[in-house]
Amino acid sequence: MAAVQQQQAMQKNTLYVGGLADEVNESILHAAFIPFGDIKDVKTPLDQANQKHRSFGFVTFLEREDASAAMDNMDGAELYGRVLTVNYALPEKIKGGEQGWAAHPLWADADTWFERQQQEKEMLKLQAENKAAMETAEELHRKKLAQDRQGEMEEDTETKDDPMARAEADALSHGDA
């Protein structure tokens, strides 16, 4: 709890300064804010691609009142031809969501990972079973169709080989004519 209060107290001492001109460096930023009180730290995060600051910085004062006075006086002020935006800085967020990756041990998600792996295996097994059942059903259907066709051929063959069936078929066909 004390760490949280200390962090919140620190946040009230740290100001976000946006809209910095390219010429502004940490020394110039320090010089612009020193009239308001003792400064603990000045940071201007660098863009990794071009090694220049990303047009914003952070100024941390030793006293909250000094940070408040600096914010009241410097928000909307001009520095090197650019209008500054000055607010209390938000707490730094650790990558990886609300708690951050650093707040969780590496194995914290192991149970859910294993669960997902098991579900994927089960799904693949069910899909394989369904595919096998469909193939079996299609094969049975093909066999039945082949048997039906074979049965029709056998009936035709029986009619041709059986003289009585041939005579009956002839009589029926002559009777229609």
Side-chain angles (χ1 to χ4, degrees):
M1 189 70 166
V4 172
Q5 288 174 341
Q6 183 180 2
Q7 187 179 11
Q8 286 175 343
M10 182 65 85
Q11 291 164 5
K12 295 289 185 185
N13 293 7
T14 303
L15 298 177
Y16 162 84
V17 183
L20 297 177
D22 290 338
E23 303 85 19
V24 176
N25 58 27
E26 290 180 357
S27 329
I28 294 170
L29 197 55
H30 186 277
F33 281 83
I34 195 71
F36 303 102
D38 292 331
I39 294 175
K40 180 179 178 185
D41 192 26
V42 176
K43 295 257 189 263
T44 53
L46 297 179
D47 183 351
Q48 297 301 318
N50 60 19
Q51 291 302 308
K52 292 183 178 181
H53 68 73
R54 296 167 17 195
S55 72
F56 67 90
F58 298 97
V59 178
T60 304
F61 286 88
L62 290 176
E63 301 294 326
R64 285 172 134 186
E65 295 76 24
D66 296 341
S68 178
M71 185 174 69
D72 292 342
N73 287 287
M74 294 298 285
D75 187 38
E78 197 173 302
L79 183 65
Y80 280 78
R82 302 271 302 265
V83 177
L84 300 180
T85 301
V86 182
N87 293 310
Y88 287 116
L90 297 175
E92 252 186 86
K93 290 195 173 153
I94 300 171
K95 289 183 180 176
E98 198 173 295
Q99 294 284 324
W101 295 321
H104 295 250
L106 182 60
W107 56 88
D109 292 330
D111 290 339
T112 57
W113 183 84
F114 284 118
E115 237 175 69
R116 286 191 309 269
Q117 293 300 316
Q118 193 63 33
Q119 288 172 348
E120 285 179 32
K121 284 180 185 176
E122 298 253 346
M123 184 62 76
L124 291 173
K125 181 181 171 187
L126 286 172
Q127 287 173 344
E129 288 174 359
N130 284 345
K131 184 178 178 184
M134 290 296 287
E135 288 173 355
T136 303
E138 287 175 8
E139 184 63 30
L140 287 173
H141 183 69
R142 277 191 231 110
K143 285 181 180 177
K144 179 153 178 23
L145 287 175
Q147 285 175 348
D148 289 348
R149 281 190 216 118
Q150 187 67 30
E152 288 172 6
M153 289 177 160
E154 286 175 5
E155 285 177 12
D156 289 345
T157 307
E158 286 174 6
T159 306
K160 290 176 186 172
D161 293 342
D162 185 6
M164 278 303 272
R166 203 172 337 134
E168 188 178 315
D170 285 342
L172 288 173
S173 65
H174 288 304
D176 291 335

